[in-house]
Amino acid sequence: ARWLMEAIAQRRQTLWRITRSILDVQNEFLDQGVSHLKPLKMQEVADRVGIHVSNVSRAIADKYIETPRGILPLKFFFTGSTPSANGAITSRVAVKERIREMIGQEDKKRPLSDDDIGEILKKEGYLVARRTVTKYRKILKVPSSRQRRAY
C-alpha cells in the first residue's frame, strides 16, 4: 500500500513539474491569446524537467488544464512551428488563428482567395505557401472563397 501511495505521489509531482514547465513557456498565451502561443516540443519539456520524452507523452495523455482561455488539453500547448521572414519562429496555431481572423474580417462580396491570404501573410512576415494556407483553411473547416462569396 505504501509503494502505491508513493507511486501516485510521484506521478502527481511529475505532472505538476511538466505543467509548470509548459506554463512557463506559454505564459504570453495565457495573458494575450492564441496569437502568442509559442512553438513547443515535448522533448524541450522533457529536457527541462529531466525525464524521458515518452514519460511526458504518457503524463499529459487525456489531461486538461483550466486557463483564462478555457479548458484545454495539455497536448494543445505542443505545436509545430512556422518560420517567419525575420528568422523568428511562430506557432502553427497562431498562423491558423490569423487566417481565421482574416477570413472573418473579409468583404463577403469579394472573399480572399488562398493566394490572397498567403500574400498577406508574407507581407506580415510569415513564410507560408498557398498549399499550407489551403491545408490550414480546411483544418479550420472554412469553405473556399467561392463558397464564402455572398451575392
Side-chain angles (χ1 to χ4, degrees):
R2 191 172 296 141
W3 174 84
L4 181 61
M5 290 172 50
E6 289 172 3
I8 292 170
Q10 183 178 0
R11 183 173 290 189
R12 186 179 336 135
Q13 183 64 26
T14 299
L15 185 59
W16 170 255
R17 290 178 20 226
I18 290 169
T19 305
R20 186 76 251 155
S21 179
I22 292 169
L23 296 179
D24 286 345
V25 173
Q26 302 294 6
N27 62 358
E28 287 182 33
F29 159 77
L30 298 173
D31 295 335
Q32 300 171 358
V34 175
S35 62
H36 290 83
L37 190 65
K38 294 180 182 170
L40 182 63
K41 294 179 181 177
M42 285 188 199
Q43 185 64 55
E44 293 174 45
V45 172
D47 292 343
R48 293 174 113 214
V49 175
I51 60 176
H52 195 271
V53 68
S54 65
N55 291 334
V56 173
S57 179
R58 280 195 301 272
I60 68 168
D62 301 320
K63 304 292 188 311
Y64 293 81
I65 185 169
E66 185 176 358
T67 71
R69 305 288 167 202
I71 297 173
L72 302 168
L74 284 175
K75 285 190 177 193
F76 170 83
F77 295 99
F78 296 98
T79 65
S81 60
T82 300
S84 62
N86 64 2
I89 296 176
T90 306
S91 164
R92 289 181 188 145
V93 175
V95 174
K96 289 176 191 173
E97 185 61 26
R98 181 64 186 117
I99 291 170
R100 185 191 315 269
E101 287 173 9
M102 280 192 275
I103 291 172
Q105 297 170 355
E106 71 186 0
D107 177 6
K108 298 302 178 193
K109 292 183 179 180
R110 298 182 66 220
L112 297 168
S113 69
D114 293 342
D115 284 327
D116 296 337
I117 294 170
E119 288 302 316
I120 293 169
L121 289 172
K122 281 182 186 165
K123 289 177 185 172
E124 292 178 356
Y126 300 109
L127 300 177
V128 180
R130 186 216 34 92
R131 295 184 314 271
T132 305
V133 172
T134 302
K135 179 172 95 174
Y136 289 173
R137 180 181 52 73
K138 288 179 180 179
I139 290 170
L140 295 169
K141 296 187 170 119
V142 174
S144 68
S145 58
R146 288 184 194 169
Q147 295 168 324
R148 295 192 315 265
R149 182 171 306 222
Y151 295 98

